[in-house]
Every structure is written in structure tokens, then in C-alpha cells.
Amino acid sequence: MSSACLLASASSSASSMNVFQLGNYTVSVFPVNPQSTVSPLTVPLLIGTPTEEGEFPILVFLHGFMLENSFYSQLIQHIASHGFIVVAPQLFEIDEMESAKGVTEWLSNGLGSVLPPMVRPNLSKAALGGHSRGGKLAFALALSYTSNPPSSNGDTSLIKYSALVGIDPVEGPRKGMQLPPVVLTYVPRSFDLDMAALVVGSGLGEKRTSALIHACAPKGVNHKEYFNECQSPAYHFLVKDYGHMDTLDDVTRGVKGLATYRACKSGKSREPMRRFVGGITIAFMKAYLEGDHGHLNAIKDGKDISLPVELETVEFLKD
């Protein structure tokens, strides 16, 4: 197993009942080099996992356009601390879909070999998610499995996803300029996903930073249309006063990291939006991977007073 590059544990004051705070598991977040794995793997990974003994559900999380998987380390840590294994591949602009599929194929034989001792992945409880273009790719991948399920060609190496998470998914820079794969159909309830869907939007995502730069999540190609095309069960949360990149780490280094602060309209700080994204993702996965709908229902019905942000829109399609 690769050596841990980040260790974090939940503070004693953090309650396991509050999904917007760190959970009770000690977490290791570490990189995996494809050359170091026993099973074939074509892209590097960043994995966040509890270190205690147990069997844990899986989230495969795809990063945004031109971003680094390491920019999501705080989000990964948050989710993993509530008892989930997060696998975040570093995708490249060429063959993103094939690379993402390759990671899915690798999980059943390769994931267990890189985890801490006594930590076991639960391959029957898996979610697929992503941010920005990664959210679009997550939808595309989920739809590809619906139209061509693994069992149809005898391939049993692909795990079964039961939940889909899109964090400010974006089809393209604007309608009519979509880059492949094309996901949106502009037909309401047209997505045949065969899984529950969560869509989170940013209230500032449609706003430009200048007249010369496109909005990062423009109207017509953003979270609203993705939710409109989802079938039941599906949930849509629009966060007021936060931007498209506010899900990322507080510090994102390098040229790409600097661009994440300048390309998109942002809120006052990233921490509240990131905590909401982490918490709502945890609540959603607890509901549809573990059968515990308590947290999700409390947030959906406005009964959870621990929200770190103000919600502009809450919509849902019942089971």
C-alpha cells in the first residue's frame, strides 16, 4: 500500500449525527501510482479511507475540467470520516470516459490491495459522483451502464452503482458548444439511470467574473437541466451565495490552483460550501447505500438546523 500523505481524525466535539462536520473515523488520504498496483490501472488515484477495521461503501469521484484530484482532499477527508471509501482518479483530457471505466473495472480486483489492513470495500454498495465536467462524466458513465449493462456481455468485473452525485455538473461552456460525451437531451425526465440521483448547484455559478470570461456553470447547461432530466428518486439543492469552485480545498496550488480562484465567481470562503457538499453527499449515500434516510429527509424537509449554507432551492422527486 502507498504510504499515507495525509492523516486526519474527527475532533471529539464532532458528532456522528452531524453530517456537515467530520465524522468519527480516523482517515488516511493517500495517492496510488498505477505502476504500483497488482491489477492493471491506467491513471493515478487519490484514495480516502477509514483506517479502522470494517467494510465500507465506495464513492468514485471524478474531478472537474483541467483540475487536480488533490484539489478535493478536504472534501474526500470529510466524506471518508463518515465511513466511506472515496476513490478519486486523476483523469486526462483524452479518453476521460475510458479512463473512468477502467477505474471501475479495477475496483473489484485492485482496490482491496491498496487499502489499510482490515479495511474492506463493500462492492455491493457503490456511488458514482463528480464535480463540474466530472459531474457530467459521472452522468455519462451511469447512462452508459444503463444502456449497456456489464451483465449483457458477461463482464462481471464492473461493480453495480446505486447512487449518482453531480456537484454543479456542466455540459459545456454554453448550449450548442457541448464537448463529447454529450449527456443532456433537453427532454424532461429522459435520463434512464436505474439509480437515485443527487444534483447540487451553486448560486453564483451562472455569474461571470468579467465580460470576457464565460460563467463557469452557464444557464441551459448546468445543474438545473441535469435535475430536470432525472427520474425519481432525485434531489436538487441550490446553494445561495457560493460559486462553482467553492467545493475545492481552501488552498489549491500551482497555475491551475490559482485559476480556480480567478475563473469563477466565488463566495466569501470555500469552507461552508465544501461542508455542505460533503454533508449532503454523505446523507444521500447513507440513504441509498445504507437505507438510512434520516439525515437526507431532515435536510430536504428543512428540519436540519445545522446547515452551513443557505439553500435557494430544494426540489425532489419521490421514490
Side-chain angles (χ1 to χ4, degrees), residues 19-306:
V19 295
F20 300 109
Q21 300 291 344
L22 285 177
N24 291 334
Y25 287 97
T26 302
V27 173
S28 174
V29 180
F30 55 90
V32 173
N33 187 307
Q35 281 73 40
S36 67
T37 60
V38 177
S39 301
L41 182 65
T42 60
V43 295
L45 305 176
L46 188 66
I47 292 180
T49 177
T51 58
E52 290 90 340
E53 179 180 359
E55 185 176 62
F56 303 100
I58 302 165
L59 169 65
V60 174
F61 190 83
L62 309 178
H63 63 77
F65 180 66
M66 295 290 291
L67 299 181
E68 303 287 338
N69 56 4
S70 61
F71 291 174
Y72 300 85
S73 64
Q74 289 175 289
L75 177 65
I76 291 170
Q77 174 193 331
H78 181 175
I79 295 171
S81 74
H82 283 264
F84 297 93
I85 298 169
V86 185
V87 179
Q90 180 62 53
L91 302 177
F92 304 98
E93 283 63 55
I94 300 176
D95 294 329
E96 290 171 303
M97 275 286 287
E98 290 306 311
S99 295
K101 286 182 178 179
V103 172
T104 293
E105 294 169 0
W106 172 84
L107 291 174
S108 59
N109 294 321
L111 180 57
S113 68
V114 301
L115 295 176
M118 310 303 289
V119 173
R120 303 178 304 279
N122 189 335
L123 298 174
S124 66
K125 295 181 178 180
L128 180 61
H131 167 240
S132 189
R133 179 168 171 82
K136 167 188 174 173
L137 289 171
F139 269 86
L141 195 56
L143 289 166
S144 75
Y145 291 147
T146 302
S147 60
N148 184 28
S151 60
S152 65
N153 57 15
D155 186 353
T156 59
S157 66
L158 297 180
I159 63 176
K160 166 70 174 171
Y161 291 112
S162 302
L164 175 63
V165 179
I167 307 302
D168 232 11
V170 180
E171 179 79 341
R174 61 185 179 208
K175 191 173 180 180
M177 295 180 61
Q178 293 90 340
L179 299 174
V182 175
V183 176
L184 295 177
T185 66
Y186 299 96
V187 177
R189 313 298 170 232
S190 58
F191 287 162
D192 182 13
L193 292 168
D194 191 30
M195 67 184 74
L198 167 67
V199 180
V200 178
S202 61
L204 301 180
E206 295 181 354
K207 298 185 181 296
R208 299 182 177 204
T209 55
S210 77
L212 301 177
I213 301 176
H214 292 300
C216 286
K219 292 181 180 180
V221 294
N222 65 15
H223 58 95
K224 296 177 184 177
E225 188 60 36
Y226 276 86
F227 177 72
N228 287 340
E229 299 188 24
C230 287
Q231 298 177 10
S232 174
Y235 302 81
H236 180 213
F237 297 89
L238 175 58
V239 181
K240 187 178 181 180
D241 297 329
Y242 287 90
H244 185 66
M245 295 295 185
D246 287 337
T247 295
L248 304 182
D249 289 356
D250 292 326
V251 178
T252 46
R253 303 185 186 281
V255 175
K256 291 181 181 180
L258 182 62
T260 67
Y261 272 102
R262 296 188 175 180
C264 305
K265 200 79 171 176
S266 300
K268 292 182 179 180
S269 70
R270 289 177 170 177
E271 191 252 358
M273 177 67 169
R274 187 177 60 245
R275 282 205 293 124
F276 176 78
V277 168
I280 194 65
T281 300
I282 292 162
F284 178 69
M285 291 195 298
K286 283 183 176 293
Y288 286 95
L289 299 185
E290 300 184 327
D292 176 7
H293 288 256
H295 299 283
L296 183 60
N297 286 341
I299 299 167
K300 169 179 68 70
D301 298 335
K303 297 178 181 178
D304 191 322
I305 61 174
S306 64

